[in-house]
Amino acid sequence: MNPSASGWINKFGHLVKSVPDAFPNFESLYQELKRNGFVYGIHIDIPPFISVEHQLTEDEVAKINLLTALYYTYQFDKQESDFELFVNTVFGYYQSLEVGKISFLNKILTGSHTESQLEKLIDSRIYLGGNAFNRAFGNSLTNSLLYVDVLIFRIYLLGQRSLIEHAQLLEYVTINIAYQALNSKEVQKEDAKLIQLLGSSLTYLNLDDANYEGNYHDLLQYNFTDCEKDYFLDMACLTLWEDKQIDHAESEYIFHLGRDLERSKKEVDSAMDFVQFFFKKNKSKIGYLNDKNVAVQFYEGMSKNVGKLILRNSKRLKKELAESKELVSLLSKSATKELNADERKKIQNQLLDIFKTIPSLAIFMLPGGAVLLPIFIKLIPKLLPSAFDDNRVD
């Protein structure tokens, strides 16, 4: 599966059919999303049952985890495995929130297929803005509050509360808890970066227009669900993780928060241990901890993305040429005996693929061809060889 190419949602649906019980309940899904970094807004890994051919970028990991979280949340709450119905439900959900607008150009390119439009909506949810040029070279920050989408989706499925108002409240309490946690400790450079990233990720809430009175403690009277309270606690632990030990002020804050969230000391300790282990294991992979200037980040992002394109496209071309060996064998066979219907169909498909490969090879050999080829894949996927379609479902 390739989340950067069209058809990846359909391929995802094909893959999850074989693992309908991948998560026995929402808690097990939540723990997997924590291990993968999704809950923390740090996109490290994907569930093991999702097979990919190439190394994934951070935004591709985020896309897969977001769709995984939405799909299994839908299964738990609706007891329904119809993937087409799920796609329509998620699309309706994002439309009701009036987020993830599809541009006029993308509407022309995707047409009226709901799956294609949902791919564009999810793509728009992943990035924190930035122009298309920056995105093309892997230089855009990834949304750190994506898990809020999953929590609001549960509310949408249950048909409870006003969605936008509750989404604003969730974001407000989350950012308020993060600020309170930050104020309980000696501020480090990484902490400031994290808070800036969280602030940039706000979708539903404009802090300048927020008119909530009091802090998170006063707002907890709104009867948040256990899942939402777990998220609040983990976001507080995320802000305190760096010290790898809790001083008196931090200890007082985090355990006071735990009591407000009706969580035991053991549950608070477990949340702190988890986040410290996560960062110790993945520190080198976390972008905002790397103290680099914008020019270095842009250069590294560009180099990484171009290298990825060259690797992926060279493998595809090699695969396409290797598949053509069967064509030679079948043509030789046809000279001495009659071919059956399947063999004739193979010859027809592979001849068409060869005719498509010739312009593809020409594009790839041009200066900058590694960058141009993915654009052609997105704009005219039907005109490219089958080996270039990572999301094809046979």
Side-chain angles (χ1 to χ4, degrees), residues 120-131:
K120 296 300 179 185
L121 278 175
I122 288 180
D123 187 73
S124 69
R125 292 298 299 129
I126 297 301
Y127 295 105
L128 291 183
N131 58 44

Side-chain angles (χ1 to χ4, degrees), residues 31-59:
Q31 293 302 319
E32 176 69 16
L33 295 172
K34 279 176 65 174
R35 282 190 291 272
N36 293 339
F38 183 78
V39 169
Y40 299 131
I42 302 160
H43 309 291
I44 303 292
D45 203 359
I46 61 174
F49 57 83
I50 303 294
S51 60
V52 292
E53 185 177 349
H54 310 287
Q55 183 177 354
L56 297 173
T57 59
E58 183 179 357
D59 59 297

Side-chain angles (χ1 to χ4, degrees), residues 333-366:
K333 181 179 177 181
S334 67
T336 57
K337 59 186 297 186
E338 184 73 18
L339 299 179
N340 59 37
D342 288 340
E343 291 171 330
R344 289 197 296 272
K345 185 67 175 177
K346 283 183 179 179
I347 286 181
Q348 180 184 6
N349 290 339
Q350 291 192 28
L351 281 173
L352 285 172
D353 274 349
I354 286 179
F355 293 141
K356 295 174 187 177
T357 301
I358 296 172
S360 303
L361 281 167
I363 295 170
F364 189 71
M365 294 300 291
L366 286 172

Side-chain angles (χ1 to χ4, degrees), residues 43-257:
H43 309 291
I44 303 292
D45 203 359
I46 61 174
F49 57 83
I50 303 294
S51 60
V52 292
E53 185 177 349
H54 310 287
Q55 183 177 354
L56 297 173
T57 59
E58 183 179 357
D59 59 297
E60 291 172 337
V61 170
K63 288 179 187 180
I64 292 175
N65 281 329
L66 175 59
L67 192 61
T68 299
L70 293 171
Y71 176 71
Y72 285 100
T73 297
Y74 176 79
Q75 275 202 324
F76 298 142
D77 290 333
K78 289 294 186 182
Q79 299 296 310
E80 174 63 62
S81 58
D82 186 322
F83 191 75
E84 183 177 354
L85 185 57
F86 158 72
V87 169
N88 290 327
T89 302
V90 174
F91 188 71
Y93 159 66
Y94 275 122
Q95 284 189 314
S96 70
L97 287 173
E98 299 181 354
V99 298
K101 298 285 187 181
I102 306 177
S103 69
F104 178 72
L105 177 60
N106 278 332
K107 285 183 178 179
I108 295 175
L109 297 177
T110 58
S112 59
H113 295 293
T114 306
E115 286 181 359
S116 299
Q117 292 183 342
L118 183 59
E119 287 175 5
K120 296 300 179 185
L121 278 175
I122 288 180
D123 187 73
S124 69
R125 292 298 299 129
I126 297 301
Y127 295 105
L128 291 183
N131 58 44
F133 182 72
N134 283 345
R135 290 188 187 185
F137 291 105
N139 196 45
S140 287
L141 293 174
T142 305
N143 193 334
S144 292
L145 294 178
L146 276 175
Y147 186 70
V148 172
D149 284 20
V150 181
L151 293 174
I152 300 301
F153 186 51
R154 296 196 77 191
I155 302 298
Y156 176 80
L157 293 175
L158 296 173
Q160 300 174 356
R161 308 177 191 175
S162 173
L163 282 187
I164 293 181
E165 284 81 356
H166 192 66
Q168 291 172 340
L169 181 60
L170 268 179
E171 286 195 337
Y172 182 83
V173 173
T174 301
I175 203 74
N176 192 290
I177 285 175
Y179 277 121
Q180 293 284 342
L182 186 63
N183 289 335
S184 73
K185 60 181 292 188
E186 183 179 347
V187 179
Q188 303 292 329
K189 185 161 46 179
E190 291 80 4
D191 298 317
K193 289 182 181 179
L194 172 60
I195 292 296
Q196 184 180 20
L197 193 58
L198 292 175
S200 300
S201 299
L202 294 171
T203 297
Y204 310 101
L205 177 71
N206 185 336
L207 285 176
D208 294 333
D209 298 333
N211 57 1
Y212 300 107
E213 295 182 1
N215 59 23
Y216 77 85
H217 178 78
D218 303 311
L219 295 173
L220 291 180
Q221 62 181 307
Y222 283 84
N223 298 319
F224 290 104
T225 66
D226 283 339
C227 298
E228 292 166 342
K229 290 178 180 179
D230 287 340
Y231 179 62
F232 294 150
L233 179 60
D234 283 324
M235 293 306 289
C237 293
L238 172 68
T239 312
L240 297 176
W241 76 270
E242 185 196 18
D243 300 331
K244 298 184 177 60
Q245 60 181 6
I246 303 178
D247 62 26
H248 177 72
E250 294 167 0
S251 176
E252 185 177 353
Y253 167 75
I254 196 67
F255 286 106
H256 180 72
L257 172 63

